[in-house]
Every structure is written in structure tokens, then in C-alpha cells.
Amino acid sequence: MTIFNVLTLIGGLAMFLYGMNVMGNGLEKLAGGKLEKIFERLTSNPIKAMLLGLSVTAVIQSSSATTVMLVGFVNAGIMKLHSAIGVIMGANIGTTVTAWILSLSGLNGDSFIINMLKPSSFSPILAIIGVAMLTFSKNDKKKDIASILVGFAVLMFGMDSMSGAVAPLKDVPEFAEVLLWFKNPILGVLAGALLTAIIQSSSASVGILQALSATGAITFGSALPIILGQNIGTCVTALLSSIGTSKNAKRVAVVHLYFNIIGTVLFLTVFYLLNAFIGFSFVDGVVGAKEIAIVHTIFNLSTSIILLPFIKVLEKLAYLTVKDKEGEGNKDNIEEQFKLLDERFLQSPSFAVEKCRELTNRMGEIAKESIDMAMSICVDKYDKEKAEQIAVNEAAVDLYEDRLGTYLVKLSSRDLSAKDSQSVSTILHVIGDFERISDHAMNMVSVAEEKQQKDLNFTSQATAEVKVMCSAVRDVLDIAMEAFEKHDLELATRVEPLEEVVDKIRTKLKNRHVKRLQTGECTIEMGFVFSDLLTNLERVSDHCSNIAVCLIQENDESFDVHEYVQMLKNSGEGFDGQVKRYSEKYALPAKEF
């Protein structure tokens, strides 16, 4: 075997890993976060959870990715540890699909159908189709499908390159002697675990073993412990991912490790005991890619079936390994909520975007609560407890903006679909508006405190008028928030007409206030307070308009804000009709002067 064979082997491995990565990313983007949502809903019992783990892993072609996802779910409180264990078992079975696909290269026969089933035959066709779709298609979904096809073709080309590079080893006696070492189950398991831990993929390490089997030097006795060790090695990814997570998230990674260690010990013990008494004739027989896939499947399937009834035992074992410290508990409810912004979810951008939307909705609810309380203490009776709560809410909203903004910037650097990229931009704008709305609530607290300290009171007429404006602002805030939460474009279009009415109300109230100043009903000092209150209410309405505009813009790339507002105002009966209805709904009380 020459240096050029070694370079070809390394290059083949690189293409194999790259192809697997491209294919996995394409599958993930095509799923659009749906797989993760299914995880949240369909883990009610162990069998469902196992089947779910099997299906998802078979789709994304990586048990490590599935387990890392589970670590994130449990860390964020989305999933319970008990449910995650069943998914882990299914993930181990699902990862065997890759080995079966790779084993197709060992098909023998001269018929056209058999030859077409060989990856070396259909991979070039998939590559041509995929490249053509990437080049000429503008549709995101078609591009994702193209990535899957190209990724698979590159993966198979890498596999063929590895097989070709190691072919000369069949004539090297030293290679056969080295493989004899791995008939020792401990050495074999360690070798398989180490290889998989280094390349962070059991599917890839199984693929390497299948490529080496082409030399005809791999026996069943040496392949078995290596395959079992590969299942242990894949746990390293989840263990690394669990660093810095909650106790339960660490337990997910520990369960994954225990599951594979227990399965390996049981499988090897039973196999070598039976071999000692019966003497299996196939132990020294040569294995090919198909036989490796069979062993890989039998091990994972039998281990899952055997350990499925013992999920509670595995759970207890995880709790004994990762113990809770005495008196340890949730430090802060808000910090618990921020666990939804798990770094692991960045590997699934569509799902991460949804989690950001959830937290943005919560941020909006806090800002809305502050505005409601601020209106109450400004217009009705001053309440110190409400004022203090608004300050607490303001700190929380600022924290939401900081955490969400930081996470969204990280998310925006990922390979996002056009839809997800626009969603990230929208959320970044909306969290800014919610933060400003909360700021206006704090400004209104200052207005209320000034009224309280200086013993200033609005006239009954001014109070009635401000209450009308407060109702309109409360309504526009409700509509904007509901439109964002439900992604309802029809609701979003109703914001601008109401915002226009709020502007008109503010103008009318200012004019009426000037009249009261002229007649001596109101003081100049009271006028400043009144003006500050109106300004803050009107600004809240403006931010609601911004939210609605961002939502509409998300669904129209060619959208222009100024053109939209101008178009609405010039749309005639549609816009004017809504303005008229809102004007009637929020009609000011008759003037007393």
C-alpha cells in the first residue's frame, strides 16, 4: 500500500463525512423543524418514543444528532428524561439504515436491475439530478432535495474511494496480523470506540469497517467487538454536548452511554459463552459489507428490545450517577425559560426559530402587562406595587432582548432557508419594538409618580378622554401581538387603520387640552404631564404598527414600508372604512366647553 493509497483513503473519508453532513443538513432543512415538533408531542409511551427515535434517526442519518437534540430538549424542559430514553433506543436502531445503504455496493449479479441497485451505478445519476436542481431551481424545497441527492452521491463516492484505497491491503500479511488483535473483545471494543469518538459518527466508522471488509481480511470474530465498540464511541458526542447543561440533560447523555455499554457487555457475554459451548463455525469466516450491516442491526435491535422494559432502571441509574445537590432547585423562572435558547437547537435552524418566536411572545406579554398597569396608575389611582412590578418587568424585558438578540445573531450565521432568514430578521425587529413598548411603560410610571408627588389630577373631562385613548392603544397592542403570535396577516393589516385613529385621537386631545388651558380649567404644569402621557401612548401605537409591518414584510421580499403605508392610505374604501369604524368605536366624549 503506497502513500497515494493513504491519501486516497483520507480523501475518501473526508468526502464520506462531508457527503453525510450535506445530506443530513438537506434532510433537516427539508423537514423545516417538523421532526423536532414531533419529538415534543409523540413521546407519551416508551414504544412510541422508540419508534419515533428510529424514524427520525433513519431520516437524518445520525444517532448522535438525535441524541444531542434530546439533550437540548431535556435541558430546555421540553421533554422528560423518561421519554428521552425510549427515543435513544430507537435512535440506535435507526442508525443501522446507513450501513444497509452502504452494503448495496456488495451486490453481485449481471442483471440490469441488480447493477442499477449498486450505489456506484445510481449515485452519478443522483449527482447529475442534484447539481441540475441546485443550478437551475430557485425553489428552496427543491434546493434542499438537491442537497440530499448531491450529499448522498458524494458520500457513496467517498465510500468507493475508501474501498479502492484499502484494496491493496489484502496482499499485506501484516494487515491480517493486526486484525487478529481485534479478535480480543476488549481490544476490538476499544478500537471501535476510539475510532468513532474521533470522527464523531458511528455511521461513518461502520462505513470505514465496511470499506475495509472489501480486502477480504476482516473476520466475524474481529468485526463483532469493533462494531459494538462503535456504538459506545458514538456516545462521546452527546457527552460533550451535555457539558454545562442541567442535571437531567446530563442524564440523557449518561443513559445513552449506559445503554450501549450494558448492551455490549450482554451481547459479548452471551455470544462468547455460546461459542465456548457450541463453537460457531462462522467466527473465523470472512465478512462483507452486508454481514457487517446484519451484525450492526441485530445488536442494536436486540439490545433495545431487551432493555425496553428496564427504562425505569436506566433512569434510576442515571440519577445515581448524576445526583442532585441538596437544596438545589430552579434559581429563576426567567432563566429556566431561556433554556429554550439552547445552542444545540442551532443545528436545527427551523426549530430554533420557533423557540425564539415562543420566547418573543412571552416577552410581548410582559410588555403588554406593563402597559396595562401603567395606564391604570396614570389614569386611575396610583399604586406603588404596580409601579414596582413595572420596573421588574422592564428588567425582564431587557434580559429577553439581550438573550434573544444574541441567540438570533448566532442563528443568522447558520445556513438558513430564505423563509427562516426572513423570520430571524422579523423577530430581531419585533423584540426591539417590545423592548421600546416596555420603556414607554416605565416613562408612564414617571408620569404617574409626578402626578402623585405634586398632587396633580386630571379634570373629569381629561380623564374620560384619556381612557378612550388608552382603550384604543390597548386594542391595537392586542391586535399586533395576536397577529405576530398566530402569524395572521389579515390581523396585521388591521393595525395601521387603528394606529391612524390613535394619532387622530392624540391630536384632538392636545387641541382640547389647549382649550382647557385657555379657560383656566387646567394648569401648565398639569399640561406637561398630560402631554407626556399622550406621547407615550401614541408611541406604543407606533411600535405596534412596526410589528405589523415587519410581519407583512416577512411574507413579501419586495415589500417597502413607506409604499405599504402610502398604499393603505390611498386604498380608498378599505382603509377609510376601517378608520371610520375605529373612529366610531373610540369616539371621544362630548366637549364640556
Side-chain angles (χ1 to χ4, degrees), residues 319-378:
Y319 272 97
L320 288 172
T321 306
V322 183
K323 296 179 180 178
D324 285 319
K325 293 179 182 177
E326 190 174 346
E328 186 175 49
N330 294 338
K331 295 179 182 179
D332 193 306
N333 186 44
I334 292 180
E335 288 297 333
E336 285 297 308
Q337 291 182 17
F338 289 139
K339 286 182 178 179
L340 286 177
L341 303 179
D342 198 294
E343 297 279 330
R344 295 154 199 81
F345 296 156
L346 294 174
Q347 304 298 326
S348 306
S350 294
F351 183 74
V353 169
E354 285 303 312
K355 293 299 132 188
C356 288
R357 279 190 182 277
E358 284 182 27
L359 279 183
T360 305
N361 289 333
R362 294 181 191 179
M363 178 185 181
E365 288 295 336
I366 296 172
K368 179 178 176 296
E369 179 186 53
S370 293
I371 288 295
D372 283 339
M373 289 189 292
M375 289 177 182
S376 172
I377 63 174
C378 281

Side-chain angles (χ1 to χ4, degrees), residues 113 138 321-322 355 399 418 461 500 533 537 544 557 561 566:
I113 295 175
K138 294 183 179 180
T321 306
V322 183
K355 293 299 132 188
L399 191 57
Q461 178 73 20
E500 180 88 356
L533 177 57
L537 288 172
C544 291
E557 293 181 7
V561 176
Q566 200 59 41

Side-chain angles (χ1 to χ4, degrees), residues 15 18-19 22-23 116 118-136 142-158 160:
M15 284 189 290
Y18 177 71
V22 170
M23 184 173 68
M116 281 305 298
K118 292 181 179 180
S120 58
S121 299
F122 65 76
S123 291
I125 298 172
L126 297 181
I128 291 169
I129 296 170
V131 170
M133 289 173 69
L134 281 173
T135 305
F136 301 109
K142 287 182 180 178
K143 284 189 174 183
D144 292 337
I145 293 170
S147 295
I148 296 166
L149 297 178
V150 172
F152 181 79
V154 172
L155 180 153
M156 293 312 305
F157 188 78
D160 285 343

Side-chain angles (χ1 to χ4, degrees), residues 221 225 229 248 264 299 332 351 430 445 466 487 570:
N248 271 340
T264 296
F299 167 70
D332 193 306
F351 183 74
V430 170
V445 169
V466 170
H487 210 267
N570 295 332

Side-chain angles (χ1 to χ4, degrees), residues 207-483:
I208 293 170
L209 186 63
Q210 287 177 304
L212 288 170
S213 70
T215 63
I218 306 288
T219 64
F220 185 90
S222 58
L224 176 63
I226 293 173
I227 293 169
L228 272 54
Q230 288 167 337
N231 281 274
I232 295 174
T234 196
C235 300
V236 169
T237 309
L239 288 168
L240 291 173
S241 176
S242 68
I243 295 172
T245 60
S246 66
K247 299 288 186 182
N248 271 340
K250 287 183 173 70
R251 289 171 186 135
V252 173
V254 167
V255 166
H256 190 214
L257 179 63
Y258 281 148
F259 172 81
N260 284 295
I261 289 176
I262 292 169
T264 296
V265 171
L266 285 174
F267 201 90
L268 288 176
T269 301
V270 172
F271 177 80
Y272 285 109
L273 279 175
L274 289 174
N275 186 45
F277 288 103
I278 300 172
F280 296 125
S281 59
F282 55 80
V283 172
D284 295 319
V286 174
V287 296
K290 183 180 72 175
E291 288 75 24
I292 289 171
I294 290 171
V295 173
H296 193 216
T297 303
I298 289 174
F299 167 70
N300 284 296
L301 188 60
S302 59
T303 303
S304 296
I305 292 171
I306 291 167
L307 294 181
L308 186 62
F310 300 100
I311 282 181
K312 289 185 178 179
V313 176
L314 287 170
E315 188 176 8
K316 190 172 182 180
L317 193 58
Y319 272 97
L320 288 172
T321 306
V322 183
K323 296 179 180 178
D324 285 319
K325 293 179 182 177
E326 190 174 346
E328 186 175 49
N330 294 338
K331 295 179 182 179
D332 193 306
N333 186 44
I334 292 180
E335 288 297 333
E336 285 297 308
Q337 291 182 17
F338 289 139
K339 286 182 178 179
L340 286 177
L341 303 179
D342 198 294
E343 297 279 330
R344 295 154 199 81
F345 296 156
L346 294 174
Q347 304 298 326
S348 306
S350 294
F351 183 74
V353 169
E354 285 303 312
K355 293 299 132 188
C356 288
R357 279 190 182 277
E358 284 182 27
L359 279 183
T360 305
N361 289 333
R362 294 181 191 179
M363 178 185 181
E365 288 295 336
I366 296 172
K368 179 178 176 296
E369 179 186 53
S370 293
I371 288 295
D372 283 339
M373 289 189 292
M375 289 177 182
S376 172
I377 63 174
C378 281
V379 181
D380 298 320
K381 184 180 178 182
Y382 178 78
D383 187 319
K384 186 179 179 181
E385 287 186 5
K386 285 184 179 180
E388 289 172 349
Q389 183 59 50
I390 292 169
V392 170
N393 285 0
E394 164 65 5
V397 167
D398 285 345
L399 191 57
Y400 268 95
E401 185 190 32
D402 179 55
R403 297 292 182 85
L404 276 165
T406 302
Y407 190 81
L408 285 163
V409 169
K410 290 180 183 178
L411 185 55
S412 64
S413 67
R414 299 284 167 154
D415 183 19
L416 303 175
S417 65
K419 180 183 176 183
D420 287 338
S421 181
Q422 190 62 54
S423 293
V424 168
S425 177
T426 298
I427 297 170
L428 276 168
H429 280 94
V430 170
I431 61 174
D433 285 305
F434 282 149
E435 193 277 332
R436 291 297 297 135
I437 288 171
S438 180
D439 285 345
H440 289 302
M442 282 299 297
N443 293 343
M444 290 163 68
V445 169
S446 298
V447 170
E449 287 175 344
E450 186 176 353
K451 280 181 63 186
Q452 172 74 6
Q453 291 164 5
K454 296 180 179 179
D455 194 25
L456 301 173
N457 291 295
F458 294 141
T459 63
S460 58
Q461 178 73 20
T463 300
E465 292 170 353
V466 170
K467 283 185 176 180
V468 172
M469 187 170 182
C470 285
S471 295
V473 170
R474 192 177 287 113
D475 194 7
V476 75
L477 185 54
D478 285 341
I479 293 171
M481 286 189 60
E482 188 179 354

